[in-house]
Amino acid sequence: METVKIAQIAACEGREVELRGWLYNKRSSGKLHFLQLRDGTGVIQCVVFRDDVPPEIFSRCDHLGQESSLKVQGLVRREARSPIGFELSVRGVEVVQDALGYPISPKEHGIAFLMEQRHLWLRSSRPHAVLKVRAEVLKACRDFMEQGGFTPVDAPIFTPAACEGTTNLFETDYFDQKAYLTQSGQLYMEAAAMAFGKAYCLGPTFRAEKSKTRRHLTEFWMIEPEMAFCELAEDMDVAEGLVFYIVRRILERCQAELAVLERDLTPLQKVAVPFPRISYDEAVGLLREKGSDIEWGQDLGGDDETLLSAGYDAPVLVHRYPAAVKAFYMKGDPQDSRLALCVDMLAPEGYGEIVGGGQREDQLEVLEQKIDAHGLPREAFAWYLDLRRYGSVPHAGFGMGIERVVAWLCGLHHVRETIPFPRTMQHLYP
Ligand code: 4AD
Ligand code: MG
């Protein structure tokens, strides 16, 4: 007999097929068992009628525990009341493994309990929907980059030096030296941009974040494009293009998942290009009008980001922050030496910064001074300085945090639900 997936069930109407999966839920009434079977592609109701199956199979179904693994054979029938339009009239059930005492019942559990059970919780409809959206976001990232002529170049995880400041570095023993888990692939993408013109990496990055906010993980994924012969304005165009592409793609392909998550689609549908662009100067003025006590020179806090983005339907690009609050590699603004040619993109609906990037310092002497001024070891950056010795050009790029984007698109309160196995200060298990 043909084995099929639930997602393809509509093409099997009137045929006998085998489904393989797990018992999601069960209900019985006298002569009938209703088995909700899930197989990773969907959930279908399998109706076991006492007179259609051998008696031992019917009584076996009486005692099946939630999440028992099954092979179910039966006839695919159209059923108007089914959410997927079809159900299975069961002819046979093979129990692969009988699961007893599955800890996650359909009733409500607290988030702490569910996080401890994350390895099992992934099977439930909400986490499943979120991770499907995440998978589509990752695919959209790669598609957009490929269409734009970017070469994927993987950055290393073990690194000899800090990229995003020394306060949140994870240090590890590396034979007889120290290594650090990468905070960003950017510096390596700068090397790649000089080799390929346009390059990007997409992978995990690590920050020993001591902050327990709903936007911070210690292990998160970033896509980081980098472009040679590129300045800040074009960098912002690419960031805007990528984020808009992802929003449209998710609205197009993830309707079922967003419905499971009860995501209000209106705010996502309102996202249009071009995204608003304001300078840090303007942002501080707007924030003070809205009651923030931010002083010029301070970085925007999470609350400031929320306050600022509340004024827009689309993500807002805030450019030219004070150089003092930004990383060492940023190029100074030739119009105003206090500023850096950088940009942050703030998502609507209070989701905060989803993109950070900008133009890189391309002059050797200036970059050497910045490395010294930030108290960083020049030796570890010798290779990076080579990029300014041999054919230095204006170049720019950015990093977009995958989890922040997924949290926004799915309308989730906390980024921990957007990654299969979240790592935070409190979570290393499972
Ligand atoms: O602004 P960040 O720190 O920028 C960089 O790392 C640059 N080197 C990127 C580049 O230009 N190639 O981080 C970029 C993005 C943030 O905007 C945010 O979306 C996400 O990464 N991010 C985090 N996401 C989850 N948890 C954390 N702890 C994050 N820190 C940053
Ligand atoms: Mg940032």
Side-chain angles (χ1 to χ4, degrees):
M1 191 181 302
E2 192 190 357
T3 303
V4 299
K5 295 288 178 202
I6 295 169
Q8 274 88 54
I9 208 74
C12 305
E13 188 183 356
R15 299 215 308 272
E16 286 221 1
V17 298
E18 177 170 289
L19 297 172
R20 298 174 174 182
W22 297 264
L23 185 64
Y24 199 51
N25 212 342
K26 194 189 76 177
R27 175 165 75 75
S28 299
S29 73
K31 295 184 286 189
L32 292 164
H33 293 305
F34 299 95
L35 312 180
Q36 302 290 332
L37 187 80
R38 58 163 200 91
D39 72 350
T41 75
V43 179
I44 191 171
Q45 174 154 283
C46 304
V47 184
V48 191
F49 181 48
R50 196 179 54 197
D51 299 347
D52 282 350
V53 293
E56 65 277 11
I57 290 196
F58 192 78
S59 60
R60 187 87 161 87
C61 288
D62 238 347
H63 307 291
L64 280 179
Q66 190 189 342
E67 288 301 315
S68 291
S69 38
L70 308 173
K71 294 180 185 175
V72 184
Q73 300 87 31
L75 181 72
V76 179
R77 281 212 343 242
R78 191 172 283 277
E79 169 54 63
R81 285 166 299 178
S82 154
I84 62 166
F86 294 89
E87 63 178 29
L88 197 77
S89 291
V90 176
R91 301 282 180 267
V93 177
E94 201 181 310
V95 180
V96 181
Q97 194 250 333
D98 199 353
L100 288 176
Y102 186 68
I104 304 176
S105 55
K107 74 167 198 290
E108 290 274 309
H109 294 284
I111 187 78
F113 172 80
L114 291 170
M115 276 298 167
E116 286 279 302
Q117 304 291 333
R118 184 66 170 169
H119 52 298
L120 301 175
W121 188 30
L122 297 181
R123 305 176 188 196
S124 301
S125 60
R126 278 182 62 88
H128 191 271
V130 174
L131 294 184
K132 279 287 192 182
V133 171
R134 177 188 175 96
E136 194 60 48
V137 167
L138 291 169
K139 187 161 187 298
C141 284
R142 294 211 179 268
D143 290 346
F144 181 85
M145 288 293 135
E146 191 183 325
Q147 286 166 26
F150 288 77
T151 301
V153 177
D154 303 314
I157 302 291
F158 287 129
T159 63
C163 175
E164 293 300 319
T166 48
T167 53
N168 59 11
L169 269 180
F170 275 114
E171 188 181 292
T172 174
D173 287 329
Y174 194 77
F175 305 106
D176 51 0
Q177 14 170 357
K178 292 279 174 224
Y180 307 96
L181 298 186
T182 185
Q183 296 168 305
S184 159
Q186 177 196 320
L187 307 186
Y188 297 94
M189 289 309 101
E190 292 183 52
M194 302 308 144
F196 298 91
K198 294 184 192 180
Y200 77 96
C201 61
L202 174 47
T205 51
F206 306 85
R207 312 254 171 113
E209 300 280 6
K210 299 255 165 56
S211 47
K212 301 178 193 169
T213 81
R214 62 195 191 90
R215 296 173 185 174
H216 288 94
L217 296 164
T218 55
E219 179 176 325
F220 63 97
W221 282 55
M222 245 203 290
I223 177 164
E224 297 184 87
E226 192 72 27
M227 296 159 282
F229 297 102
C230 178
E231 300 188 2
L232 180 62
E234 189 184 344
D235 194 34
M236 293 200 266
D237 292 343
V238 176
E240 170 186 292
L242 172 64
V243 171
F244 185 63
Y245 183 85
I246 292 169
V247 172
R248 301 310 305 178
R249 170 74 75 92
I250 294 306
L251 283 172
E252 224 171 77
R253 298 200 188 169
C254 293
Q255 282 171 10
E257 286 77 13
L258 295 175
V260 167
L261 299 169
E262 296 171 339
R263 173 63 160 121
D264 176 7
L265 299 183
T266 323
L268 297 180
Q269 284 158 343
K270 277 191 192 157
V271 173
V273 282
F275 296 172
R277 296 181 188 190
I278 60 172
S279 67
Y280 169 87
D281 267 356
E282 293 169 304
V284 169
L286 283 170
L287 283 168
R288 293 188 64 93
E289 274 170 31
K290 291 181 183 215
S292 166
D293 54 8
I294 188 171
E295 299 285 347
W296 197 100
Q298 292 174 337
D299 202 357
L300 303 192
D303 292 340
D304 292 318
E305 292 178 355
T306 301
L307 198 58
L308 196 59
S309 62
Y312 306 96
D313 285 339
V316 53
L317 293 148
V318 183
H319 54 83
R320 296 180 170 82
Y321 285 65
V325 300
K326 291 290 177 183
F328 76 94
Y329 51 71
M330 304 257 181
K331 188 169 177 66
D333 183 354
Q335 309 293 322
D336 183 341
S337 60
R338 298 171 306 162
L339 305 178
L341 292 178
C342 64
V343 61
D344 278 4
M345 186 191 291
L346 313 179
E349 301 176 79
Y351 282 91
E353 180 195 333
I354 50 172
V355 169
Q359 199 173 327
R360 321 307 188 186
E361 182 50 67
D362 48 18
Q363 301 170 77
L364 179 64
E365 296 73 24
V366 182
L367 188 56
E368 282 172 336
Q369 285 160 17
K370 288 185 173 174
I371 288 173
D372 295 346
H374 278 79
L376 296 166
R378 258 203 216 186
E379 319 76 68
F381 292 97
W383 69 270
Y384 184 62
L385 291 165
D386 272 352
L387 304 176
R388 278 67 180 170
R389 282 193 186 95
Y390 307 112
S392 187
V393 298
H395 63 288
F398 62 87
M400 184 192 84
I402 301 296
E403 291 74 19
R404 299 250 183 111
V405 169
V406 175
W408 165 44
L409 296 176
C410 292
L412 301 176
H413 176 68
H414 199 299
V415 287
R416 69 189 159 200
E417 287 185 51
T418 66
I419 185 162
F421 295 97
R423 297 291 173 246
T424 63
M425 240 180 120
Q426 305 95 329
H427 286 104
L428 188 56
Y429 176 94

